[in-house]
Amino acid sequence: MASKLLSALTAALGPRQAANELRWMQRHLPSGPDLAKMVQRRVAGSQPFGPLNLLTRPPVLIPRPETEHWVIQLAERITAQPQLPKRLLDLGTGSGCIPLLLCHLLPQGSLDACGVDISEHALRLATDNAELCGTPTPTEADVGHKNTFMATDGNVLSPSFSADAKISPPYDIVTSNPPYIPREEFLCLPRSVSDYEDHRALLGGEDGLLFYRAIASLVSKNGFLHPGAIVALEIGHQQAQDVEKIMLEANMLNVEIWSDPWGKHRTVVAHR
């Protein structure tokens, strides 16, 4: 079955992206109908994400069900009102799936979201998805009482990130599904992945925690978060306790670990 699915993906995406995407799907979905359905959606160039139907284009990774699960859970935790809109920063926004789903789920006029990515492909895709979802940018004349989204270029690992990305703290919500594959695991990936895929989208440093430390350093800065802010980070295999510790060392409070529908630790959520 796997060979047939890989052939279908290869015909649509090319061999380089197909091998990578099938590997992600196999890691997070059981074999059988669920895996086959996701391959069909990827070949079609779109992917359901909650009630949204988002565009997908290589080399940007496809939104995944476990991400959808915790974003919906996060929306249920956020109290947002149009009278006092929340401000959200999504780091490594990719397709824009996280902020766009939150823009859809929260009351209109209650959320101003910004997605940051280092990839031009991702920024273009996130902007296209926002237009497809009917989510305007803050500068559009007919915003009215709608939630807004904008995508901007930035590298969270850069010391001058805040200035380069033209972001405007303080924020009420910070989200991220960052690269989290450790270098040793990355070196064991198939050549079809490691030789051709953008390392920036996969490699999380020597121990897989590089981006979590950078995010912790960012949110710990004075004035970066509003009081009562929430930080939600997707994590990789067996990283929950390490990321929890990183958040606590950044003076975050009430750190929680959320599991996905398959029983795996998937999200670390911290409060200010």
Side-chain angles (χ1 to χ4, degrees):
M1 181 180 180
S3 61
K4 291 183 179 179
L5 297 179
L6 181 59
S7 296
L9 284 170
T10 300
L13 309 177
R16 296 179 296 178
Q17 185 70 9
N20 188 23
E21 302 241 354
L22 184 59
R23 182 181 64 86
W24 279 108
M25 293 178 196
Q26 288 173 324
R27 175 179 290 184
H28 297 288
L29 285 175
S31 60
D34 289 341
L35 183 59
K37 285 180 182 178
M38 179 166 277
V39 169
Q40 290 172 1
R41 292 167 182 164
R42 186 63 171 107
V43 170
S46 65
Q47 169 67 19
F49 195 73
L52 304 178
N53 193 45
L54 300 178
L55 300 171
T56 60
R57 288 196 298 262
V60 183
L61 296 179
I62 188 172
R64 303 199 300 275
E66 61 273 24
T67 306
E68 172 188 313
H69 179 264
W70 72 255
V71 174
I72 292 173
Q73 191 174 353
L74 178 64
E76 295 170 351
R77 293 284 194 98
I78 298 171
T79 302
Q81 301 175 345
Q83 296 87 348
L84 191 63
K86 300 284 188 182
R87 305 184 67 246
L88 178 147
L89 179 66
D90 184 49
L91 299 168
T93 200
S95 65
C97 60
I98 294 173
L100 290 175
L101 183 52
L102 290 171
C103 282
H104 181 87
L105 295 174
L106 296 176
Q108 290 302 307
S110 69
L111 185 66
D112 294 320
C114 175
V116 180
D117 208 290
I118 197 172
S119 164
E120 293 181 5
H121 297 286
L123 295 173
R124 192 176 307 116
L125 180 59
T127 300
D128 290 346
N129 273 324
E131 184 176 353
L132 178 66
C133 296
T135 304
T137 65
T139 57
E140 290 182 28
D142 59 346
V143 168
H145 297 289
K146 294 183 178 180
N147 292 333
T148 65
F149 171 79
M150 64 172 291
T152 186
D153 177 46
N155 179 3
V156 70
L157 300 180
S158 170
S160 57
F161 167 72
S162 294
D164 294 344
K166 300 181 177 62
I167 61 172
S168 302
Y171 290 97
D172 303 286
I173 308 159
V174 174
T175 56
S176 184
N177 180 12
Y180 50 65
I181 298 179
R183 182 175 296 277
E184 184 175 349
E185 181 180 339
F186 179 84
L187 294 175
C188 294
L189 292 176
R191 292 283 299 273
S192 58
V193 177
S194 60
D195 284 359
Y196 300 105
E197 294 307 320
D198 187 346
H199 296 187
R200 298 172 301 179
L202 301 171
L203 183 58
E206 292 295 333
D207 58 0
L209 301 173
L210 176 65
F211 285 85
Y212 299 107
R213 295 190 182 96
I215 293 169
S217 175
L218 194 66
V219 300
S220 67
K221 292 180 179 178
N222 187 39
F224 195 86
L225 297 177
H226 272 132
I230 187 168
V231 177
L233 308 174
E234 186 164 327
I235 57 175
H237 182 56
Q238 296 183 337
Q239 291 179 327
Q241 280 70 38
D242 289 330
V243 177
E244 178 186 32
K245 181 180 178 182
I246 289 170
M247 288 293 105
L248 289 171
E249 291 174 346
N251 297 317
M252 299 298 292
L253 306 173
N254 302 323
V255 181
E256 306 171 61
I257 298 173
W258 293 355
S259 295
D260 64 21
W262 298 274
K264 295 182 179 180
H265 289 158
R266 183 57 57 191
T267 318
V268 169
V269 180
H271 305 261
R272 170 51 53 86

